[in-house]
Amino acid sequence: MEQAAVEPIKDQVTQTHLTEDIPKDRKCTVIGGSGFLGQHMVEQLLERGYAVNVFDKRQGFDNPRVQFFLGDLCNQQDLYPALKGVSTVFHCASPAPSSNNKELFYRVNYTGTKNVIETCREAGVQKLILTSSASVIFEGVDIKNGTEDLPYAMKPIDYYTETKILQEKAVLGANDPDKNFLTTAIRPHGIFGPRDPQLVPVLIEAARKGKMKFVIGNGKNLVDFTFVENVVHGHILAAERLSRDTGLGGKAFHITNDEPVPFWTFLSRILTGLNYEAPKYHIPYWVAYYLALLVSLFVVVMSPVIQLQPTFTPMRVALAGTFHYYSCEKAKKLLGYQPLVAMDDAVERTVQSFRHLRKAQ
Ligand code: NAD
């Protein structure tokens, strides 16, 4: 599945479109900048005085202050013009985790990321900040206050996560202070906030279909949900603190809201905030897990006849019924990170932003 080597094209591009009077260390490119996290990243970077290129396969929004480059990150010819002339690259592009396309995950998250690294080097980029995921250390069993010292999951919860591990290893392994190329990985978990296309819309859709009636387990399992602006803040701090002197290159950082919440309480707050009923019946964790396992076996048995895509999977049961929250002490200590928006505010702002999905009373 490796892509063919691409001829260096550095001499073909003679200029960037970034504002000339902004110093090079404030020029950056957001790969995946049309996505949920990417758009918030672009907004905060502009607010903080950066000149911003966006590279994405689609133009998700209009902003005259941003230079868009459309293309596939797997293609060096597409990517190079967007990276030439910037000092920092934020890489937050990925296929949606819900996709069932293994080949796509491997191609974009792994070989595509290797292309990002190579093209950064070709273009003279000095810092690469990857959006990884805290799930790279999660195997479907409880993690409480997990630190970055925990090993990568031997059995990742899905193929998407398997490729996030490959991707993170490639980026951190590329850190090379001698060649003035520094890399780091930010590991968020459960990103939410205004314009999120996944969590809230999917939750409301499920509620509308009457599927949000059950709590898996006793409802006390704590997890991290992280407000998108805090995730962005962690990325920008990492970029600004990364230097040959700080020794932060090649390291990963958890970025959380630092306020783990019971999984079902969080979902219930969103649901009730939009006038939907919170789930109220409890189903024991292991019952749900083995039921989901049975469903998966059924899907495998039926696969020669019909391709089914169940949403009730053991992985989803594990995500909903186990503890998985992470320590962000390392980011606090080494990056000076503190969440900018506390959980109560974050939930309130998110609910407000989705009021168009509110259930009529
Ligand atoms: P998103 O789907 O909203 O955005 C991803 C963007 O990447 C999209 O705009 C898409 O067009 C672009 N993209 C995909 N393939 C591309 C390609 N081949 N070339 C160019 N652009 C391409 O996703 P998001 O929720 O904003 O996630 C951003 C990052 O954060 C991803 O790396 C994801 O793995 C990571 N992450 C997300 C969460 C979460 O809860 N959303 C949690 C942990 C980690």
Side-chain angles (χ1 to χ4, degrees):
M1 282 194 251
E2 296 282 323
Q3 71 174 128
V6 182
E7 286 299 308
I9 54 169
K10 60 180 162 215
D11 297 332
Q12 295 174 19
V13 179
T14 50
Q15 61 167 42
T16 73
H17 308 268
L18 292 167
T19 321
E20 291 304 324
D21 53 0
I22 293 184
K24 187 177 175 198
D25 69 348
R26 309 237 7 129
K27 292 182 179 176
C28 65
T29 300
V30 181
I31 302 176
S34 295
F36 165 47
L37 174 64
Q39 281 190 41
H40 282 274
M41 195 99 83
V42 170
E43 285 166 7
Q44 270 197 46
L45 285 163
L46 289 172
E47 243 172 61
R48 296 187 198 194
Y50 283 79
V52 183
N53 283 343
V54 165
F55 181 88
D56 203 296
K57 62 179 184 171
R58 64 190 173 105
Q59 181 167 349
F61 62 102
D62 275 321
N63 187 328
R65 295 170 67 198
V66 168
Q67 177 70 39
F68 278 96
F69 294 81
L70 291 180
D72 181 349
L73 66 85
C74 303
N75 182 333
Q76 195 179 63
Q77 306 278 344
D78 288 354
L79 195 54
Y80 184 82
L83 306 195
K84 182 69 185 153
V86 306
S87 74
T88 304
V89 168
F90 297 93
H91 172 13
C92 58
S94 168
S98 54
S99 157
N100 224 16
N101 189 337
K102 282 191 167 186
E103 194 278 330
L104 182 70
F105 283 136
Y106 191 86
R107 189 175 72 79
V108 176
N109 284 350
Y110 185 46
T111 53
T113 295
K114 288 202 291 183
N115 183 47
V116 169
I117 294 167
E118 198 39 52
T119 313
C120 281
R121 289 194 183 116
E122 287 289 334
V125 170
Q126 286 139 32
K127 299 178 188 179
L128 171 61
I129 320 300
L130 170 73
T131 312
S132 180
S133 167
S135 297
V136 296
I137 56 175
F138 181 60
E139 293 193 339
V141 291
D142 290 346
I143 290 187
K144 297 180 180 177
N145 215 27
T147 65
E148 293 84 348
D149 299 332
L150 288 171
Y152 287 114
M154 296 291 283
K155 291 184 192 156
I157 48 171
D158 52 19
Y159 192 69
Y160 157 78
T161 310
E162 204 170 318
T163 59
K164 292 298 283 183
I165 295 174
L166 291 172
Q167 175 190 57
E168 187 186 287
K169 285 181 177 170
V171 168
L172 297 183
N175 182 60
D176 190 350
D178 291 341
K179 295 205 173 130
N180 201 18
F181 183 54
L182 302 171
T183 65
T184 184
I186 297 300
R187 294 178 178 173
H189 191 272
I191 309 175
F192 73 100
R195 303 192 300 258
D196 157 35
Q198 283 294 319
L199 197 149
V200 176
V202 169
L203 182 65
I204 296 305
E205 184 60 19
R208 282 184 176 154
K209 289 181 176 161
K211 289 182 177 175
M212 289 308 299
K213 301 223 179 296
F214 292 96
V215 171
I216 293 173
N218 61 13
K220 293 185 178 161
N221 56 306
L222 297 176
V223 301
D224 279 317
F225 285 99
T226 313
F227 191 58
V228 63
E229 289 178 16
N230 295 331
V231 177
V232 172
H233 182 51
H235 281 74
I236 299 178
L237 282 176
E240 291 178 349
R241 296 287 162 102
L242 200 57
S243 80
R244 280 198 278 197
D245 306 333
T246 52
L248 299 180
K251 293 189 167 59
F253 294 92
H254 294 155
I255 290 294
T256 74
N257 244 66
D258 207 17
E259 282 178 271
V261 287
F263 179 88
W264 293 98
T265 306
F266 179 82
L267 295 195
S268 298
R269 283 186 69 179
I270 304 273
L271 285 168
T272 54
L274 293 169
N275 293 342
Y276 290 86
E277 229 183 293
K280 55 183 176 203
Y281 306 111
H282 286 258
I283 171 166
Y285 179 78
W286 289 111
V287 172
Y289 191 84
Y290 284 113
L291 269 177
L293 216 51
L294 273 179
V295 172
S296 303
L297 281 177
F298 178 74
V299 168
V300 172
V301 170
M302 294 303 288
S303 60
V305 186
I306 184 170
Q307 293 292 320
L308 299 167
Q309 279 198 23
T311 48
F312 184 57
T313 62
M315 183 271 282
R316 293 215 177 160
V317 170
L319 282 172
T322 59
F323 286 76
H324 39 105
Y325 64 95
Y326 303 86
S327 162
C328 63
E329 284 308 308
K330 185 173 161 188
K332 286 179 170 174
K333 200 167 145 200
L334 299 181
L335 305 180
Y337 171 75
Q338 282 293 338
L340 296 178
V341 185
M343 195 50 119
D344 282 347
D345 256 11
V347 171
E348 181 54 32
R349 283 176 54 185
T350 304
V351 166
Q352 278 306 317
S353 75
F354 282 101
R355 55 187 180 277
H356 55 285
L357 297 181
R358 207 181 267 162
K359 186 179 179 185
Q361 284 196 318

